[in-house]
């Protein structure tokens, strides 16, 4: 089997999701520190110039959900999707909600929070409207016991953990509100996720790279200034 190579940077929530899934599946892989880029050579691997990229040995793949599905299809031994069709669809439903209505919303504010830019008040207002709808939807959908679909974390847990963490940092900074607290009922799940060896490895690298990233970008955000500890703490 060709060794899998994950191209990405430890600050990226999406890279961290794929990395955590590879670790949870106990698959051997090489982590190749790589920044997103619009260079023609990189876009041969990643058409949008984004990370993560998985070099599968039969071609490169981007888009986290596609990568996660590929890994479960090709390496079914440690499945990270529920077996039953309905549960599997429900898990994907939650992933889609988090991707479109939480992460992609919070991402619109990354410039003013993490990248030394500014956010327009109109953007902050419109993002808040969608985040409020998504928060209510996730409160309704999520009831971890201890994980969302069983006694092992699956794609949906990993996807939620890394994306809610970054969204929570944004909502606390911009709105002085915590999306994780407002969804509610996630404290035991967060503790169970944090206790995973995969999480320890990924978040340890995140923490040190994040400090450097914020300093390099002259970011307004300071992890130690947050009102409450971020979910990785
Ligand atoms: N939909 C993509 C999102 C990936 C993404 O946005 N990656 C960010 C880093 S977290 C990136 O490469 N940003 C650089 C850019 O957008 O040019 C996925 O699911 O993998």
């Amino acid at each position: 089997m060709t060794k899998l190579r994950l191209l990405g940077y430890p600050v990226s929530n999406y890279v961290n999701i794929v990395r955590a899934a590879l670790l949870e599946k106990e698959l051997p892989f090489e982590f190749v520190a790589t920044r997103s880029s619009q260079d023609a050579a990189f876009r041969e691997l990643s058409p949008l110039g984004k990370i993560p990229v998985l070099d599968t040995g039969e071609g490169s793949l981007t888009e986290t959900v596609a990568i996660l599905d590929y890994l479960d299809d090709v390496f079914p031994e440690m499945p990270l999707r529920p077996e039953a069709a309905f549960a599997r669809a429900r898990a994907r439903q939650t992933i889609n909600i988090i991707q479109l209505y939480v992460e992609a919303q919070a991402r619109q504010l990354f410039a003013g929070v993490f990248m030394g830019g500014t956010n327009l008040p109109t953007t902050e207002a419109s993002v808040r409207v969608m985040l409020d709808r998504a928060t209510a939807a996730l409160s309704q959908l999520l009831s971890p016991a201890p994980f969302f679909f069983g006694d092992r974390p699956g794609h949906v847990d990993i996807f939620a953990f890394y994306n809610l963490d970054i969204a929570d940092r944004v909502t606390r900074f911009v709105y002085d509100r915590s999306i994780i607290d407002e969804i509610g009922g996630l404290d035991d799940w967060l503790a169970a996720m944090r206790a995973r060896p995969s999480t320890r490895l990924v978040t340890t690298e995140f923490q040190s790279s994040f400090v450097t990233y914020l300093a390099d970008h002259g970011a307004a955000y300071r992890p130690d200034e947050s009102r409450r500890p971020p979910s990785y703490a």
Side-chain angles (χ1 to χ4, degrees):
M1 183 185 95
T2 316
K3 194 169 187 182
L4 298 165
R5 294 165 75 240
L6 172 62
L7 280 60
Y9 181 60
V11 163
S12 159
N13 43 312
Y14 280 116
V15 170
N16 289 341
I17 289 166
V18 175
R19 194 175 190 183
L22 285 160
L23 292 166
E24 287 290 340
K25 287 179 76 63
E26 298 180 7
L27 290 169
F29 68 99
E30 183 186 355
F31 185 73
V32 185
T34 310
R35 299 289 191 109
S36 61
S37 164
Q38 292 301 317
D39 288 354
F42 188 66
R43 281 193 289 107
E44 288 291 315
L45 301 175
S46 172
L48 283 169
K50 286 175 177 277
I51 50 173
V53 179
L54 185 73
D55 176 5
T56 66
E58 56 181 331
S60 62
L61 262 186
T62 62
E63 292 301 310
T64 298
V65 173
I67 295 172
L68 296 179
D69 278 349
Y70 172 84
L71 290 172
D72 246 34
D73 288 339
V74 175
F75 306 103
E77 294 77 19
M78 304 265 268
L80 297 183
R81 292 174 298 197
E83 201 180 324
F86 186 70
R88 187 179 287 211
R90 270 294 178 93
R92 176 54 63 88
Q93 174 185 349
T94 297
I95 286 173
N96 277 23
I97 289 172
I98 292 171
Q99 177 162 233
L100 292 171
Y101 309 120
V102 176
E103 205 275 352
Q105 304 302 316
R107 184 169 287 274
Q108 294 180 52
L109 303 174
F110 281 9
V113 181
F114 303 128
M115 295 168 160
T118 50
N119 293 329
L120 292 172
T122 47
T123 310
E124 292 184 356
S126 63
V127 164
R128 187 67 249 181
V129 170
M130 188 51 80
L131 286 177
D132 282 343
R133 286 178 66 185
T135 301
L138 292 172
S139 297
Q140 187 180 323
L141 284 170
L142 299 181
S143 43
F147 299 105
F148 294 148
F149 290 88
D151 55 10
R152 266 198 322 130
H155 287 164
V156 61
D157 298 273
I158 297 168
F159 201 88
F161 183 75
Y162 291 96
N163 282 338
L164 289 180
D165 175 81
I166 204 76
D168 199 65
R169 292 172 192 271
V170 168
T171 60
R172 281 185 286 108
F173 190 83
V174 176
Y175 307 110
D176 204 17
R177 291 168 61 177
S178 160
I179 190 169
I180 289 178
D181 286 352
E182 291 180 6
I183 292 168
L186 296 181
D187 286 354
D188 292 347
W189 171 78
L190 281 173
M193 287 300 291
R194 278 189 214 115
R196 308 291 297 179
S198 69
T199 312
R200 296 227 176 96
L201 189 152
V202 171
T203 60
T204 299
E205 285 207 22
F206 168 84
Q207 299 282 14
S208 56
S209 299
F210 192 43
V211 169
T212 309
Y213 180 93
L214 295 172
D216 288 351
H217 286 79
Y221 183 85
R222 299 273 181 286
D224 51 354
E225 278 176 20
S226 2
R227 284 187 304 112
R228 77 193 255 292
S231 60
Y232 289 172

